[in-house]
Amino acid sequence: MNGDARFTRRRVLELSALGTGLNGLPRATAVTPTVIAGPKRAIRSCVLVFFYGGPSHLETFDPKPNAPAEVRGEYRAIATAVPGVRVGEHLPQMARVLDRVALVRGVHHPMRNHNSAAAETLTGRTPAGGDQELLSDDPRGIPTLGSAVSFALGTRANSLPYVALPYTIYNVVQLPGQTPGLLGGAFDRFQVTGDPNAPDFRIAAFENTTELGARAALLRGLDRSALPGPVAQAAISRDRAVRLLANPEVRRLFDIHKEPERVRERYGRHLLGQSLLLARRLVEGGVNFVTAFDGQYNGQDVNWDSHEKLFSRHRQLIPPADQALSALIEDLDARGLLDSTLVLALGEFGRTPKINGSAGRDHWPDCYTALLAGGGVTGGAVFGSSDKIGAYPATDPVTPADLAATVFWRFGIDPATEVRDQTARPFRLSEGDPVRAVFGS
């Protein structure tokens, strides 16, 4: 046996910190979340698709074909399955399924830098550190939405409540808004790192789990002495982590190679396509929250941050997103999972209405579009509108706090549920109001 495989006490505790959300004590407490009535039944799962870098709303879901050329851009607007609603020409597959989608066209917030804007979008809260270019995580900060949902579901949460894939995102530092913050490690994500499209894709944490379980039992036998509270809780977390990793049903969820080739081709044999296929497998298996990132690092050539040559760059980026997102919606629908699963897709901001001197568009959090599908949405709905050049909300503005409140509400969780940190300071799960208008009665 090599040194890396030894089942030492340290190794067991490391295994309990593999991202399963079992590695620490919750540092916050809450009143038992109020279960509230929403439209139809409460959802079981949510898939958050985060387009890192900021896609242009003008080239995707809020085109302005009648605007001046310096605003309108190079792309045409095309008809969709919803009469009178048009999208950018490189979204033909989303245009076809738009009757199962609601567009929220007046999303806005004050954060103009990637890190702070990501924090605002992924948590539904304006970061305490303000609008900083390289804002980093605060371990006592507001939790990412997936962790907050895991916490608020309480006993209703799945044994594997929250998965993030296929990587952690960075802009020099790890972008804030990806961690459980003040909730503590008990509500951290299970982080998938790797390309689900790769022939050798696997989850290393699930290997040698038979030996892992046997050695965990041995360790429990050695630990017969009474343990103080925090250490006892760590032992419980260790055992839960081992049981989860050894569960064949959990391992099966990640075995994307079991999918028929036609299904894999429909999603697209690329990183985003196979990530969203893996997300579908996870929610089908009962995982409550999945975050899928599109773009790991910041930069003109590696994510959606198209300050230069936007039109050629978005021609590369939009088609895979069009294929993958439409496939996810259709697949969930075909499997009877769309009503119980809410899909939320957006970036941290949109792009400037006026094209800059480098044929690009710059950061623009003042108005952009979010997409909602499933979870009881009224298909084909358009909530809110932007002005004639897509610069500001003209009607029904919506904030990331409102979108977060919508997610909680659809899980049957009262967004006003109060969370208290380790110093007993109160925080509401969300300060926003659910966007109820796009959901059926």
Side-chain angles (χ1 to χ4, degrees):
M1 179 184 298
N2 63 41
D4 289 339
R6 288 178 188 152
F7 201 72
T8 63
R9 290 172 184 263
R10 174 175 292 182
R11 177 62 174 155
V12 176
L13 293 174
E14 286 172 351
L15 287 166
S16 72
L18 283 170
T20 59
L22 304 175
N23 61 308
L25 291 169
R27 288 183 289 157
T29 58
V31 179
T32 301
T34 304
V35 179
I36 58 174
K40 304 179 182 178
R41 294 178 301 175
I43 60 173
R44 186 177 73 167
S45 303
C46 177
V47 178
L48 170 60
V49 186
F50 186 76
F51 296 108
Y52 175 33
S56 170
H57 56 298
L58 296 152
E59 273 63 52
T60 53
F61 292 106
D62 194 8
K64 300 294 180 182
N66 298 319
E70 65 270 19
V71 171
R72 182 176 67 246
E74 297 180 6
Y75 299 170
R76 296 180 299 109
I78 61 173
T80 69
V82 182
V85 179
R86 302 175 77 81
V87 296
E89 66 175 292
H90 297 293
L91 290 163
Q93 297 186 75
M94 284 302 302
R96 183 167 50 81
V97 303
L98 212 69
D99 57 350
R100 283 163 275 186
V101 171
L103 298 179
V104 181
R105 279 181 166 167
V107 181
H108 71 100
H109 61 76
M111 301 291 104
R112 314 194 88 81
N113 288 291
H114 290 288
N115 294 32
S116 51
E120 176 114 16
T121 305
L122 294 172
T123 68
R125 297 286 188 125
T126 298
D131 192 15
Q132 300 178 34
E133 181 178 1
L134 297 181
L135 185 71
S136 58
D137 263 315
D138 178 357
R140 299 164 297 177
I142 300 301
T144 190
L145 192 53
S147 293
V149 166
S150 302
F151 171 78
L153 284 174
T155 57
R156 291 194 291 143
N158 186 266
S159 60
L160 181 61
Y162 176 31
V163 177
L165 53 88
Y167 34 57
T168 300
I169 57 176
Y170 294 88
N171 181 22
V172 182
V173 297
Q174 177 177 305
L175 262 73
Q178 300 179 78
T179 69
L182 61 87
L183 295 179
F187 300 97
D188 206 352
R189 64 206 182 275
F190 186 106
Q191 180 66 59
V192 174
T193 302
D195 183 356
N197 192 43
D200 60 348
F201 174 72
R202 59 188 175 81
I203 306 296
F206 293 133
E207 296 183 354
N208 301 318
T209 52
T210 300
E211 181 183 3
L212 181 65
R215 291 178 177 270
L218 175 61
L219 187 62
R220 283 194 300 273
L222 295 173
D223 279 336
R224 295 186 182 279
S225 57
L227 299 173
V231 181
Q233 182 62 44
I236 293 170
S237 296
R238 175 199 65 206
D239 291 343
R240 290 173 61 195
V242 170
R243 286 197 301 272
L244 183 64
L245 295 179
N247 186 333
E249 290 302 307
V250 173
R251 295 201 305 273
R252 180 186 58 79
L253 299 181
F254 293 91
D255 192 358
I256 198 169
H257 304 293
K258 299 292 187 184
E259 290 290 329
E261 188 58 32
R262 60 177 177 78
V263 175
R264 301 195 72 176
E265 291 291 340
R266 171 64 185 94
Y267 276 83
R269 293 309 298 256
H270 42 71
L271 180 58
L272 179 60
Q274 298 307 293
S275 294
L276 294 193
L277 175 54
L278 184 55
R280 189 272 292 162
R281 289 182 63 85
L282 292 169
V283 300
E284 190 172 30
V287 174
N288 301 117
F289 205 100
V290 181
T291 298
F293 293 113
D294 184 31
Q296 183 175 14
Y297 300 103
N298 185 46
Q300 168 76 26
D301 298 322
V302 292
N303 73 356
W304 291 82
D305 194 28
S306 303
H307 292 277
E308 301 176 0
K309 300 178 182 178
L310 178 140
F311 303 102
S312 58
R313 180 62 178 148
H314 272 42
R315 283 190 191 96
Q316 297 173 326
L317 293 168
I318 296 174
D322 179 50
Q323 180 181 22
L325 195 54
S326 64
L328 176 65
I329 294 166
E330 286 189 323
D331 201 6
L332 289 170
D333 197 12
R335 293 169 184 270
L337 297 169
L338 195 58
D339 281 347
S340 62
T341 305
L342 178 65
V343 178
L344 169 61
L346 76 171
E348 68 266 40
F349 39 53
R351 313 302 296 187
T352 49
K354 187 175 180 180
I355 300 165
N356 65 28
S358 299
R361 300 185 192 268
D362 301 313
H363 302 174
W364 194 254
D366 301 279
C367 187
Y368 65 113
T369 301
L371 177 151
L372 294 166
V377 302
T378 300
V382 177
F383 184 77
S385 62
S386 61
D387 61 22
K388 292 181 179 180
I389 61 171
Y392 301 100
T395 60
D396 297 314
V398 168
T399 67
D402 297 327
L403 295 175
T406 303
V407 171
F408 288 121
W409 171 64
R410 287 305 297 118
F411 271 106
I413 300 163
D414 186 351
T417 297
E418 196 171 83
V419 180
R420 293 182 179 271
D421 69 8
Q422 65 271 32
T423 65
R425 290 182 304 169
F427 296 87
R428 282 176 47 153
L429 282 176
S430 173
E431 297 290 346
D433 296 311
V435 187
R436 292 181 171 89
V438 299
F439 292 86
S441 59

